[in-house]
Amino acid sequence: MEKSTPLFRLLTASVAGMMALSAAPFPAIAAMMETAAVPSLIEPAKALDAGTLEIPPALGRITAAWRPDRPSERPTLIVIQDAHANPEAQRLESSLIAYLREVYGIRLVLTEGAAGHCDTELYSSFPDAPSTEQVAAAFRDEALFTGAEYDAITHPGQVSLWGVEDAPLYFDHVKAQQEAFAEEAQASALLQRLSQGLEERAAATYPAELTR
């Protein structure tokens, strides 16, 4: 896959939750997980298993878990749900990814809103690590970096960041949303006129006690 920088991101609704499941139903993602992750630098403190995964309550909660009926060699896939462009949610996300990396040895993060390998070396290669962390945190809090990007930038060589979007389809969705936003004011005005007309028709048609 080609290297890429993150694509234009869309705001989504919010739950800070996660699901742990075997990647067996997702062969393309499973193949990526098996080939793209960087080697583990430390021995994980805990074995990663969808049925026994634990996370600190301060970082989120597990909403669902699934394992195949038969033993599988497929890697475990963790799906993190968050609030996009929300500073607090992205801070929690970066902390959660750091926890999963340090405790369970996670070495590959697959992110939406990007396609292909997200090369963060441009940012993480600066020699002054504290300044890099401060700038990355400021960009994360301004919704210019995600929590995943912040973690990859501030922990170079410890995690590989890959976007899973189909770029043409993604931009088609962005275009459709932008067109919908452009027509929002017109649609709202039309709905207001229709509502007013219905109220006037109801007042003229029904007894007053029914329209109170």
Side-chain angles (χ1 to χ4, degrees):
M1 302 177 71
E2 296 180 355
K3 291 184 177 181
S4 74
T5 53
L7 305 177
F8 177 82
R9 297 183 185 85
L10 304 179
L11 295 179
T12 67
S14 61
V15 190
M18 60 186 295
M19 296 181 289
L21 55 156
S22 165
F26 310 96
I29 292 179
M32 184 184 299
M33 294 173 71
E34 292 170 347
T35 60
V38 297
S40 178
L41 302 180
I42 58 174
E43 186 68 24
K46 297 182 180 180
L48 180 59
D49 182 272
T52 60
L53 179 70
E54 297 178 334
I55 61 170
L59 299 182
R61 60 189 177 89
I62 299 175
T63 59
W66 178 87
R67 285 189 295 179
D69 296 332
R70 298 179 181 179
S72 173
E73 297 299 322
R74 294 288 193 181
T76 297
L77 175 66
I78 299 172
V79 181
I80 299 176
Q81 298 173 295
D82 67 0
H84 292 197
N86 180 288
E88 179 61 22
Q90 295 308 308
R91 284 192 290 269
L92 288 174
E93 181 182 73
S94 57
S95 297
L96 177 56
I97 292 172
Y99 171 83
L100 293 171
R101 184 184 65 252
E102 295 166 3
V103 176
Y104 292 99
I106 295 295
R107 290 293 174 267
L108 176 64
V109 176
L110 307 177
T111 181
E112 59 183 333
H117 180 223
C118 299
D119 189 357
T120 57
E121 185 178 1
L122 174 65
Y123 306 101
S124 59
S125 61
F126 289 103
D128 187 350
S131 295
T132 298
E133 191 282 330
Q134 291 177 9
V135 172
F139 277 32
R140 178 195 58 195
D141 293 346
E142 291 294 327
L144 299 174
F145 287 163
T146 65
E149 290 165 339
Y150 167 87
D151 182 76
I153 290 167
T154 56
H155 297 82
Q158 297 186 37
V159 66
S160 182
L161 190 62
W162 282 73
V164 296
E165 300 285 1
D166 179 303
L169 291 178
Y170 185 88
F171 282 117
D172 285 345
H173 178 77
V174 170
K175 181 181 179 182
Q177 187 190 49
Q178 291 173 335
E179 291 173 349
F181 283 161
E183 297 176 358
E184 182 177 10
Q186 181 179 356
S188 296
L190 175 60
L191 288 174
Q192 186 175 2
R193 291 197 301 271
L194 289 174
S195 178
Q196 182 178 353
L198 287 173
E199 291 177 358
E200 293 174 354
R201 180 62 62 88
T205 304
Y206 299 108
E209 58 268 19
L210 295 181
T211 58
R212 291 175 183 172

